[in-house]
Amino acid sequence: MIQQPNYPAEPWVVRETALDLDRMAQSESIFALANGHLGLRGNLDEGEPRALSGTYLNGFYESFPLAYGEGGYGFPEDGQAVVNVTDGKLIRLLVEDEPLDVHRGTLEHHERVLDLRAGTLTRDLRWTSAGGRSVRVTSQRLVSFRQRSVAAIAFEVEALDGPMRVALQSNLLANQASGPGSGDPREGNHLTNVLESQLCVDNRLRVVLAHTTRNSGLAVAAGMEHVFEGADGLLTRVESERDLGRLTASVELTPGEPLRMIKLLAYHWSGRQSIEWLRDQVDASLENALAEGFDELVASQRAYLDAYWEMADVELDGDPEIQQALRYAQFQVLQASARAETRAIPAKGLTGPGYDGHTFWDGETFVLPVLTYTAPQLARSALAWRHRTLDLARDRARQLGLRGAAFPWRTIHGEECSGYWPAGTAAFHINAAVADAVRRYMLATEDVAFEREIGGELVIETARLWASLGHFDADGNFRIDGVTGPDEYSALADNNVYTNLMAQSNLRAAARVADRHPDVAAGLGVDVAEVDGWKAAAEHMHVPYDERLRVHPQDQDFTTHEHWDFEHTRPDEYPLLLHRPYLDLYRKQVVKQADIVLALFLRGDAFTLEERRRDFEYYEQMTVRDSSLSACVQAVVAAEVGHLELAYAYVGEAALMDLHDLEHNVADGVHIASLAGAVMAAVAGFGGVRDHGDELSFAPRLPQALTRLAFPVAFRGRRLHVEVTPRRVRYALGPEDEPLSFTHWGKVVHLSAGTPITAEIPAAEPLAPPRQPPGREPLSRRVVHDGDTRATDEAS
Amino acid sequence: MIQQPNYPAEPWVVRETALDLDRMAQSESIFALANGHLGLRGNLDEGEPRALSGTYLNGFYESFPLAYGEGGYGFPEDGQAVVNVTDGKLIRLLVEDEPLDVHRGTLEHHERVLDLRAGTLTRDLRWTSAGGRSVRVTSQRLVSFRQRSVAAIAFEVEALDGPMRVALQSNLLANQASGPGSGDPREGNHLTNVLESQLCVDNRLRVVLAHTTRNSGLAVAAGMEHVFEGADGLLTRVESERDLGRLTASVELTPGEPLRMIKLLAYHWSGRQSIEWLRDQVDASLENALAEGFDELVASQRAYLDAYWEMADVELDGDPEIQQALRYAQFQVLQASARAETRAIPAKGLTGPGYDGHTFWDGETFVLPVLTYTAPQLARSALAWRHRTLDLARDRARQLGLRGAAFPWRTIHGEECSGYWPAGTAAFHINAAVADAVRRYMLATEDVAFEREIGGELVIETARLWASLGHFDADGNFRIDGVTGPDEYSALADNNVYTNLMAQSNLRAAARVADRHPDVAAGLGVDVAEVDGWKAAAEHMHVPYDERLRVHPQDQDFTTHEHWDFEHTRPDEYPLLLHRPYLDLYRKQVVKQADIVLALFLRGDAFTLEERRRDFEYYEQMTVRDSSLSACVQAVVAAEVGHLELAYAYVGEAALMDLHDLEHNVADGVHIASLAGAVMAAVAGFGGVRDHGDELSFAPRLPQALTRLAFPVAFRGRRLHVEVTPRRVRYALGPEDEPLSFTHWGKVVHLSAGTPITAEIPAAEPLAPPRQPPGREPLSRRVVHDGDTRATDEAS
């Protein structure tokens, strides 16, 4: 259920105007800063109160044995969990002899602002101690996009009511204790004391600590450096212990003469390099940051973001709340991926420990489509990471008795870490997601070097998996039995339509790669017979259809199953996975998240409009959206088949998933794929962008409340700009761009730089709104806009 | 693969003529003694060398948390594992100053004999120490059928080469260490140090120790008492420590004047009674045993067994090896059940820690059919145990979102302990197995009191489960989706034929109970509408059929799946579950154990002979018999459809499963259900006994090698004796029996006491033998008989 908005609808900032101690965990995630390599949760400077203190390095994990009540051959032996590394965010303040603690004294003002163009989190507070002394504290924090290992904090404290002595303590703290888990399987493992001290050194105002993990054998070095301004008479002391580095600074403050401390942080980690080398890197990074200075870090941060927004910004007029949410979403997508480079994009980015820091199929399926058309080099980088794990995926396929590569359902390093295979390894569709991301990236970039070095191999090895996983039946149909599709409320089903259609594209893509790059294919041992096998499997792929209901069953048996008893399901029993056994869910017609509806989107070329309409309406009545990956997909398909107002409601739900904590688990980190999905929902939904096969197409149409949607599309070196208004759409290329052809509502458009084209949008035909499960209707945006009612009636 | 026989084929004993140190674990299981309440593995008196020392009390378990890589709602939280309780079997001997240890000195003779009529294990050895001193040691061990808490050992040692000083140590030892497991999930958990000492006392030649378990909170008291004969100059010392009670006796032996020690053991345990009371019971049991004396214990043991064999003995002429194996099987079935009384019959009886000491569906499906027609009071007792766990089963059904009762797939105390639900909780057919066992027991006994107090409620609550688990589809068929049948190489399938047919009988049985005992039904809240619902579900039960192949698919989709690639499966990859992932097995046509073939047996009334033939042959080619519960069922159906020589081969495999260790895991305990299955295979296979609906029928026919099969049938207070020879069969009642009607090859026979009837057996029609998966053919009995060839070619 949608809650009251927490943040005023401002176009470029997310502002928190008061500190809500009951929602610390959520705000820690919402205000997390990251650059894809290093992430800092939005913890208070003083560290406490806190829900989860978090500092994460992409790819830095600890492994642990996975336990099974009853094991089985091929069950993964080890789990991997992201590690909360050495915390450098901590700056504690003692005012006279009282600690600045929001639990004590009086907090007269507290505001935090995440600036989506500046890439900084600022905090401004006025606090009076129990003893009656008042201070103003401001801090500004950034995790640098330009210098991936560096974060910086400018911390300023000012006496408000007369001279006073204050002490600052700037810490580096390893092995902070975390609380016990709630038991929700999505929140991740709580490993404690995983860091073993290897080195602790201090030098002037700098401390460096280095640690290793016990099981995974990774090493991390973290350092802090400090610069003071306006600090006459400052007395400082620096200490280093095994798990603690600390600078303590004492000074007498006078009103109007604040003390400003710049704290610079640097992190490096490796599975190969020595502690000594890592320490050198930390010291070098700190020296660079020191030379550059805080103001220059801030300036370069903004410059980086300006370039990003130029290619990414989705403008949406008519709904400021969603406008803000879309920008927040794109900011978080960038934070998760910008400098990930040789690492994966985790499901929660680097904003929290949820899902153990694992990456899933949603990277390729939800995040990469957004990156491909805004920052394609980041999509390339994410696929290059998959490619680096190919040998592990080949090993896994072999273990499973299959050929090619079987990518893990969830992982940090590349090994399968799913402890429940029916919803893990059996979800083979992740392999098609990788291949589809390659296809999309190639379509958008024509990056032949990528195809030859990375993409081609990914597509071929995943096609091999499908060829060995499926089989031809007596009628010559190619069937894929016993797999799990995107909907995790079904499992181990035969001929999941989504999986089969995505496998079909995968097989075709592999055949095309073999045709285009015979030398690459030959290098992988592909021969003509194998390619013919892929083509035959794709051509004869079994796509079940229920003639009686005139819909596609999610899998061949799905529509014969019992309907879920929604009438006897209480609102507090959602998400169902926490209140009903899989055994009950799997046997019935109830859908956690878009499955066939995702196929209607990604493989829309395989369905007629009439089929898409009927399928969408059929599944709409049983889809409970217990996954954050559902609303965005439903939005796209609702818009496509003509339910624009419903699409608008779903865009709202997708966009506000994290800012309004609709799933009640943003505490563990924001949902990167859902955030990307919100952007996709707007652009593919109302912008009508599709990229089936090798064609870019548009079929835009806005819901009533929106007056304008404008977005850039990075496509083959061009910047195509699309501006949708209620009746027409304007397409324009960048001034230097080569001409481009695409389709608008099915008609080919030839566009040249300097000659924008305006095209009409066909009128929508009226349709009766589809039904959702009782109590699971999305909140209508109109209700949200029109006033303070809390109605939850169906969007219409 | 069948190994060389280990034991000479003698009709009433199992004799081991030499000690094989490499097969200690197997012989410990084979020579285990038990009475259904107390079980002692066949460890050597001196305790070592050993594979697994084991002393078990039925129902005495420790619980432990079940771990999950990824948990889920309704996953069982705790496991239960049988505890190796205080060991009272130990009698160590010091000859001069050398311990009698078969690893040392020279073992000149070693023979052990399990006497199936006496119910004793005797051992006879001659040993010469490294120092050159020779002794003869004999021991005779029994676990009393008459006094369920009592075991006794007569231990005799004689000097052979002149006077010598020996010391005997008779121990009670708790918390013996056990070795690490092999990783085979079937062997059970190895819990250590689960017993906490509560009491240790000694008095004269008696010691009593009492312990409690840490988690399950059960208490056990064990005591030993001693009597010496021929012990002039004996010096004794008795000690008691927390985990050790010990009697040490020293004596100077003279050749011809052996020392004989009688060691009496008593065990009592409880989850409610105080330690003090348990101790009293142990002392009282010891006092009774002491008063009775060893010889009387031996005599009453034989009397108990004479009565058993009178109603149980299956005579089979023409194959001494199988004759012996069948008697061994019936002896072990009795040992597992005789005094189980308020407890379950575990899958391994009380012979080892395999499967954690759990009971499964095989109790009702394989063991109870044998007990029902030989010792019906033991079948009643086992069903009464199920009945006592009904409230736990009702709770479990509720947790699963179902009505009625959901009995656990595996348990000791009644709670579901399966840590892998697709092959545990999803195997709902266990509930129909309980109902079918009730139906059979009622057919055989007409025990109305049982039906009113126990059976009726079991049948009604399980019928309720089926009614809520299934649903009517648009065509009005009743479907049961997403369940696992007996074949564990498929899971979560729709409309498993076995399950649906067994559920159908279950629903019909419940409707009959409601008709016969309206007051009982009303007491359970049953109304007319509910009964009508059961009848409708039974009538419209969906039984899928593959029109193209003209066979029943194991589940509705089974025959569309890929065939297993037997050509590329190496012999060392069986059992497949240890070498291939479930994910691979579930998706393909490969069968671990009889599933539809079991339906052909238990619900033969639902198939024509032609269907049974075709189905049997279809599944025969893909059934790998990786479960010990397969061969016996295949034997029955093979015989029924006319493949008599194949049936004979399967009877051989079933009967020798444990004595020849065909599954390579008799080390963890004998397979009680498979042993019972061997008896069933002979009686239902060659004797052609069936009990469909409410009719007893016979259609006997022997394979060529067998000249006679004779067996008693306990039926409604009568002792029907059936004697099958190649051409005819003779039916006779006991002298005092009431007349009885049944069918012989489809014709009704009216039989009266004193007037045996002889009937002709119709000639068999010749059939081409069916095929098995390559390399999985059963060993032909003819080959075994005809000589020393080790061929594994197909039985024909």
Side-chain angles (χ1 to χ4, degrees), chain A residues 146-161:
Chain A
R146 289 276 192 226
Q147 297 196 39
R148 72 199 287 257
S149 306
V150 169
I153 307 169
F155 186 93
E156 197 170 290
V157 52
E158 183 179 0
L160 295 181
D161 64 342

Side-chain angles (χ1 to χ4, degrees), chain A residues 545-553 559 610-616 618-619:
Chain A
Y545 185 71
D546 185 324
E547 297 286 351
R548 181 201 307 249
L549 295 170
R550 293 174 49 224
V551 298
H552 291 84
T559 52
E610 183 58 26
E611 285 173 342
R612 273 174 276 166
R613 268 197 190 137
R614 292 189 58 85
D615 285 355
F616 178 76
Y618 185 81
Y619 290 96

Side-chain angles (χ1 to χ4, degrees), chain A residues 187-437:
Chain A
E187 77 179 11
N189 282 278
H190 289 259
L191 303 178
T192 50
N193 283 314
V194 300
L195 296 174
E196 294 197 308
S197 172
Q198 299 295 337
L199 175 145
C200 53
V201 287
D202 57 83
N203 180 305
R204 292 192 288 181
L205 300 186
R206 181 178 299 185
V207 182
V208 177
L209 303 182
H211 291 81
T212 50
T213 53
R214 280 169 222 275
N215 302 320
S216 58
L218 306 180
V220 58
M224 62 177 182
E225 175 63 280
H226 303 83
V227 180
F228 287 91
E229 297 170 16
D232 288 350
L234 188 77
L235 184 70
T236 61
R237 170 190 300 265
V238 172
E239 298 153 284
S240 59
E241 304 170 5
R242 297 173 62 82
D243 285 348
L244 177 69
R246 191 167 64 181
L247 164 100
T248 308
S250 176
V251 69
E252 179 82 15
L253 287 185
T254 313
E257 293 177 23
L259 172 70
R260 179 174 160 94
M261 177 180 76
I262 306 300
K263 180 175 188 178
L264 302 168
L265 296 167
Y267 290 87
H268 286 274
W269 74 266
S270 176
R272 286 174 290 107
Q273 295 169 334
S274 64
I275 294 290
E276 294 72 23
W277 193 3
L278 285 171
R279 175 193 174 182
D280 285 350
Q281 292 170 52
V282 165
D283 278 318
S285 290
L286 287 174
E287 209 65 29
N288 275 351
L290 198 59
E292 191 155 347
F294 186 77
D295 295 345
E296 182 53 32
L297 285 170
V298 169
S300 72
Q301 185 83 340
R302 181 173 290 267
Y304 185 99
L305 281 163
D306 284 347
Y308 174 66
W309 287 117
E310 169 71 11
M311 291 307 294
D313 187 34
V314 177
E315 299 170 88
L316 181 145
D317 294 351
D319 193 329
E321 193 174 45
I322 292 187
Q323 170 68 82
Q324 176 191 42
L326 291 177
R327 288 199 172 116
Y328 178 75
Q330 291 202 288
F331 181 75
Q332 284 292 8
V333 167
L334 183 71
Q335 289 209 123
S337 57
R339 305 304 302 274
E341 299 175 5
T342 61
R343 304 292 162 191
I345 302 175
K348 297 274 192 174
L350 298 168
T351 68
Y355 299 116
D356 278 337
H358 291 175
T359 191
F360 296 76
W361 70 303
D362 29 336
E364 276 83 358
T365 305
F366 293 81
V367 183
L368 264 51
V370 171
L371 290 177
T372 297
Y373 295 112
T374 56
Q377 72 285 3
L378 302 186
R380 186 191 213 276
S381 177
L383 289 168
W385 170 74
R386 278 285 181 207
H387 186 257
R388 264 186 292 274
T389 68
L390 246 178
D391 279 342
L392 292 171
R394 287 193 186 99
D395 290 347
R396 179 69 174 157
R398 243 191 317 272
Q399 187 184 33
L400 299 174
L402 298 166
R403 291 193 296 280
F407 285 106
W409 178 245
R410 53 187 305 171
T411 192
I412 293 177
H413 183 262
E415 296 86 353
E416 177 64 86
C417 292
S418 169
Y420 177 63
W421 74 265
T425 301
F428 285 106
H429 63 82
I430 187 172
N431 298 288
V434 172
D436 196 47

Side-chain angles (χ1 to χ4, degrees), chain A residues 307 614 641 671 702:
Chain A
R614 292 189 58 85
V641 303
H671 300 78
L702 297 180

Side-chain angles (χ1 to χ4, degrees), chain A residues 417-479:
Chain A
C417 292
S418 169
Y420 177 63
W421 74 265
T425 301
F428 285 106
H429 63 82
I430 187 172
N431 298 288
V434 172
D436 196 47
V438 169
R439 179 195 64 75
R440 178 172 297 107
Y441 174 79
M442 284 306 302
L443 170 68
T445 65
E446 296 184 317
D447 180 349
V448 175
F450 168 85
E451 187 170 44
R452 293 183 58 83
E453 290 157 23
I454 293 173
E457 193 171 2
L458 286 172
V459 168
I460 284 173
E461 292 292 18
T462 48
R464 283 177 159 159
L465 183 85
W466 295 117
S468 67
L469 188 67
H471 71 110
F472 289 95
D473 67 13
D475 293 325
N477 297 314
F478 191 77
R479 307 173 67 98

